[in-house]
Amino acid sequence: MTIQQLRTAIEAARTGSITRAAKNLYLSQPNASSVLRTLEQELGYEIFSRTNSGIVPTEAGARFLEHAKIMLAQMQEMYAIRDQGRICRLRLGVQSFSPAVEAFIRLVQDYHDCPSAEFKCVNISADGGIRALADMELDVVAALIAPCMLPAAEQAARNQNLGLHFLHEVPASLNLRRGHPLLEKLPPRSEAFDYRLLEAYPYVEYQKLPTRTDGYTTISTADQVRYRYRIVVDERDTRCRIVGTTEAFSIGCRLPQAVRERYQLECVPIPEQSMRLYCITRRGGKQNAEVARYLQLLQEELEEKDTE
């Protein structure tokens, strides 16, 4: 049994497709199929049932995959022995939430004299972060999850033997340029927040932290958000520049004061809507010093944000 066989089986189960697994692992489709057939022959039972819509694990296959993930993680730990004592490492997944990113920058500054450091920060959705943690690609994820979606996120985390740890309540807000006509019609200048007012204006949807396309960050009133047309971007600076220079609006977390000043933006709280920041980690794993330090810095950033 080889590492390639384990990786191929795990990726095929995750994607539900041998073709997609092969593409993600940079294998040809015939090669990936051959790897799985050889593995099944070695085991003496089928891992997957083939259907017209893809592949699904058999009962025996599901049990195999549980062990395969553990085996792959242990193999990776064995190969990492050579690096013990000299590598400071943190592989972080975030959603471009300002305090989470600032905490990572401060961590990098803390370790600038470390001769052998390996730091990685990727912009990833909550569900993508859960998959990456389960596949040993990340060490920790700072994820924003809407309260109404918490049960689904908790179940997804349990399925992958991960733990969710609440860190902070993050109010949701409507972001507009200063001087936008809507500001005269929304709280605190009016008594009620009327979603119908948004229908006349473009909506800038942030691909990595949207109200609609990532299930875990879907606010409960997302179906009330109407717009003239939609603009999709995947980078915060672009979104802020569009909102700060046009009549478009965006929905997300309340922006830090420095960001609001830079782009000349106003944040209008959306009544009774918020997201919660969670730290997601693997259960039972030893937390390294870099993860612990990052979480400490993140708490400091959150406390500073609350004083703005």
Side-chain angles (χ1 to χ4, degrees), residues 90-97 100 120-145 157 162-167 214 216 276-282 287 291 294-295 298:
L90 177 74
R91 298 170 301 170
L92 169 70
V94 298
Q95 293 172 303
S96 288
F97 178 53
K120 174 182 178 180
C121 181
V122 297
N123 192 354
I124 197 167
S125 63
D127 54 349
I130 288 173
R131 290 194 300 269
L133 278 168
D135 292 341
M136 306 295 291
E137 295 172 359
L138 296 176
D139 301 309
V140 62
V141 171
L144 288 160
I145 300 173
L162 304 176
L164 269 68
H165 312 282
F166 174 74
L167 296 178
D214 178 2
Y216 297 139
R276 294 174 182 171
L277 181 66
Y278 285 84
C279 163
I280 310 179
T281 58
R282 285 183 288 275
Q287 186 182 96
V291 172
Y294 171 75
L295 294 176
L298 179 54

Side-chain angles (χ1 to χ4, degrees), residues 3-297:
I3 291 179
Q4 185 186 56
Q5 288 174 323
L6 295 177
R7 287 187 184 278
T8 304
I10 291 170
E11 187 65 15
R14 187 183 75 82
T15 61
S17 165
I18 296 176
T19 300
R20 287 195 293 270
K23 181 179 179 181
N24 293 344
L25 295 174
Y26 303 101
L27 301 171
S28 68
Q29 195 277 338
N31 190 3
S33 295
S34 176
V35 166
L36 292 176
R37 279 198 305 271
T38 301
L39 178 58
E40 289 177 327
Q41 289 169 1
E42 179 181 342
L43 292 170
Y45 54 81
E46 289 189 344
I47 301 173
F48 299 106
S49 294
R50 279 70 172 175
T51 70
N52 291 334
S53 58
I55 58 173
V56 294
T58 62
E59 182 177 349
R63 293 169 61 188
F64 164 80
L65 289 164
E66 292 178 4
H67 292 291
K69 290 179 180 180
I70 296 171
M71 290 173 63
L72 182 59
Q74 291 175 339
M75 287 181 178
Q76 290 172 333
E77 291 295 326
M78 286 188 284
Y79 283 115
I81 289 175
R82 67 179 183 270
D83 297 329
Q84 288 182 358
R86 67 181 183 86
I87 295 292
C88 301
R89 187 179 80 173
L90 177 74
R91 298 170 301 170
L92 169 70
V94 298
Q95 293 172 303
S96 288
F97 178 53
S98 295
V101 175
E102 291 300 321
F104 179 78
I105 293 172
R106 289 176 58 184
L107 179 78
V108 172
Q109 293 168 344
D110 277 359
Y111 284 83
H112 75 280
D113 289 330
C114 182
S116 298
E118 181 184 309
F119 294 119
K120 174 182 178 180
C121 181
V122 297
N123 192 354
I124 197 167
S125 63
D127 54 349
I130 288 173
R131 290 194 300 269
L133 278 168
D135 292 341
M136 306 295 291
E137 295 172 359
L138 296 176
D139 301 309
V140 62
V141 171
L144 288 160
I145 300 173
C148 61
M149 301 306 299
L150 182 57
E154 289 176 329
Q155 183 61 55
R158 282 195 298 270
N159 291 344
Q160 301 292 349
N161 197 32
L162 304 176
L164 269 68
H165 312 282
F166 174 74
L167 296 178
H168 200 71
E169 190 87 17
V170 183
S173 70
L174 173 70
N175 305 313
L176 303 163
R177 69 168 176 82
R178 291 182 181 174
H180 195 291
L182 274 177
L183 291 172
E184 296 297 325
K185 304 174 183 179
L186 295 168
R189 297 179 179 88
S190 66
E191 293 184 0
F193 189 102
D194 188 351
Y195 284 93
R196 292 172 297 180
L197 296 172
L198 305 178
E199 296 178 0
Y201 300 96
Y203 168 49
V204 184
E205 182 173 279
Y206 189 31
Q207 189 169 327
K208 299 295 183 181
L209 182 59
T211 57
R212 295 169 182 270
T213 55
D214 178 2
Y216 297 139
T217 53
T218 301
I219 61 175
S220 61
T221 55
D223 59 349
Q224 298 181 47
V225 178
R226 299 287 185 269
Y227 44 82
R228 185 179 171 192
Y229 60 86
R230 183 177 64 168
I231 306 165
V232 180
V233 300
D234 62 1
E235 197 272 328
R236 188 182 70 175
D237 178 71
T238 303
R239 179 181 70 154
C240 289
R241 289 174 63 186
I242 293 172
V243 174
T245 57
T246 71
E247 301 287 82
F249 68 90
S250 68
I251 291 175
C253 302
R254 184 174 183 270
L255 298 169
Q257 180 66 31
V259 175
R260 299 199 299 270
E261 290 298 328
R262 178 181 178 184
Y263 297 101
Q264 295 295 291
L265 300 175
E266 295 284 347
C267 294
V268 180
I270 300 177
E272 301 179 357
Q273 296 298 320
S274 67
M275 284 174 276
R276 294 174 182 171
L277 181 66
Y278 285 84
C279 163
I280 310 179
T281 58
R282 285 183 288 275
R283 294 184 186 274
K286 184 178 179 181
Q287 186 182 96
N288 66 31
E290 290 72 47
V291 172
R293 177 58 177 158
Y294 171 75
L295 294 176
Q296 178 186 358
L297 293 170

